[in-house]
Amino acid sequence: MCDQHFEEDLKKYMRHPAMSRRQFGALVGVGMAMLLPRAADALDVRESDVNVKTPDGVADCYFVHPASGAYAGVVIWPDILGLRPAFRQMGKRLAESGYSVLVVNPFYRQKRAPVVPAGASFADESTRNTVMPLAQALNATTHVTDAKAFVAFLDSQAAVDKNRKIGTTGYCMGGPIVMRTAAAVPGRVGAGASFHGGGLVTKQPDSPHLLVPTMKAQFLFAVAENDDQREPDAKNVLRDTFAKAGLPAEIEVYAGAAHGWCPPDSAVYNEPQAERAWSRLLVLFGKALA
């Protein structure tokens, strides 16, 4: 996860090793990494910035859905850099596949999105100094209250089919929040996906994996190679826990993919593995949210 090992991993996995961090960030800032593939059968969508009331205030979010009809809702929890153009693009891409998607700003209590400038990298100390306090201000309680508010928002929208289950995805710090979302609203959440999620299995009494028996969702865990190297037992604990609960869970370590490999603006973005993870997400949602 985002920690003291990031610098050494960046050197190993950075997709443009000949560039400096600042050079890479500048390219991202002008949109170099923002072009995700568009499916041939992509639906036309409508997108808007929305404000969602929560017990702690008003969350600024991005809502995108097919232009007509009602579809399964999805909540996307971004990584530690928050709601930004890369995640808007990812949300829009999912909507084009037939989902009504809410991409949230998890840091709304302190700052509206975006919380970092375009091209910002977690590798830069100034960026870390901005986002780490924001992330540390969140906890299991805020995860649950936010999850309930965001699911309720989706269920209030005409573009969401209330007869279909809701899905949720999370990246980096969003991984644990996905699990808490599934446990907080088990009657509505039918699928969850964690991409390079950190802190899924801990020794703390509020470890996300302890919530699995209260869930009713199918899951996908796309694990970064370097995360698995540092916590090799986590995947096994997840497998055993989901098996005991009788819930389907696809758990895979993505070879050559570093923590943070899925968002297209990441310095360690791995397009082949990111596309494979995306395809597995669509398979999961196709089964669990039908």
Side-chain angles (χ1 to χ4, degrees):
M1 56 189 298
C2 297
D3 57 16
Q4 68 273 17
H5 301 292
F6 186 84
E7 290 282 355
E8 60 189 77
D9 289 336
L10 188 66
K11 295 176 183 177
K12 178 178 179 181
Y13 292 98
M14 188 173 181
R15 56 171 160 161
H16 296 287
M19 295 184 185
S20 70
R21 294 197 307 256
R22 292 187 181 278
Q23 288 172 324
F24 176 80
L27 287 173
V28 171
V30 297
M32 179 274 289
M34 301 307 296
L35 299 177
L36 289 170
R38 191 170 191 263
D41 57 351
L43 300 175
D44 291 331
V45 299
R46 292 179 180 172
E47 51 191 323
S48 60
D49 293 319
V50 297
N51 293 312
V52 180
K53 292 184 179 180
T54 80
D56 294 331
V58 177
D60 52 304
C61 304
Y62 169 68
F63 185 44
V64 56
H65 56 84
S68 62
Y71 299 82
V74 177
V75 179
I76 294 182
W77 301 94
D79 60 24
I80 198 168
L81 298 186
L83 172 57
R84 59 191 189 277
F87 273 88
R88 288 174 177 266
Q89 181 67 16
M90 292 161 71
K92 184 176 181 179
R93 186 187 190 192
L94 188 56
E96 291 174 342
S97 293
Y99 298 94
S100 294
V101 182
L102 183 70
V103 188
V104 309
N105 170 17
F107 305 132
Y108 70 89
R109 292 171 179 83
Q110 290 85 21
K111 293 185 68 174
R112 293 182 64 86
V115 299
V116 293
S121 169
F122 188 79
D124 291 325
E125 184 177 5
S126 61
T127 299
R128 292 197 298 273
N129 289 341
T130 296
V131 298
M132 287 299 292
L134 298 177
Q136 292 165 352
L138 304 178
N139 53 53
T141 298
T142 64
H143 295 168
V144 169
T145 56
D146 284 350
K148 291 180 177 178
F150 295 141
V151 169
F153 171 85
L154 285 174
D155 277 340
S156 72
Q157 302 303 305
V160 174
D161 184 349
K162 269 73 75 178
N163 293 317
R164 296 175 65 182
K165 296 291 187 179
I166 282 175
T168 180
T169 68
Y171 299 76
C172 182
M173 74 171 202
I177 312 179
V178 161
M179 299 184 73
R180 293 193 173 110
T181 301
V185 199
R188 288 298 290 124
V189 178
S194 165
F195 300 96
H196 43 84
L200 306 177
V201 176
T202 75
K203 296 181 180 180
Q204 301 303 313
D206 63 351
S207 176
H209 83 284
L210 298 177
L211 297 171
V212 172
T214 67
M215 302 176 189
K216 297 181 180 179
Q218 301 181 41
F219 261 80
L220 166 67
F221 293 95
V223 183
E225 180 181 71
N226 56 339
D227 286 340
D228 180 64
Q229 290 170 349
R230 295 197 173 95
E231 296 181 328
D233 293 332
K235 62 182 181 297
N236 300 321
V237 173
L238 288 171
R239 288 195 183 101
D240 291 345
T241 304
F242 275 89
K244 290 177 181 177
L247 292 174
E250 178 180 317
I251 304 169
E252 180 180 354
V253 177
Y254 280 61
H259 182 84
W261 93 84
C262 287
D265 63 347
S266 170
V268 294
Y269 177 58
N270 183 320
E271 184 176 5
Q273 291 292 49
E275 287 300 298
R276 192 162 69 85
W278 186 265
S279 70
R280 298 312 301 163
L281 172 67
L282 294 181
V283 169
L284 169 67
F285 280 2
K287 293 186 301 182
L289 306 184

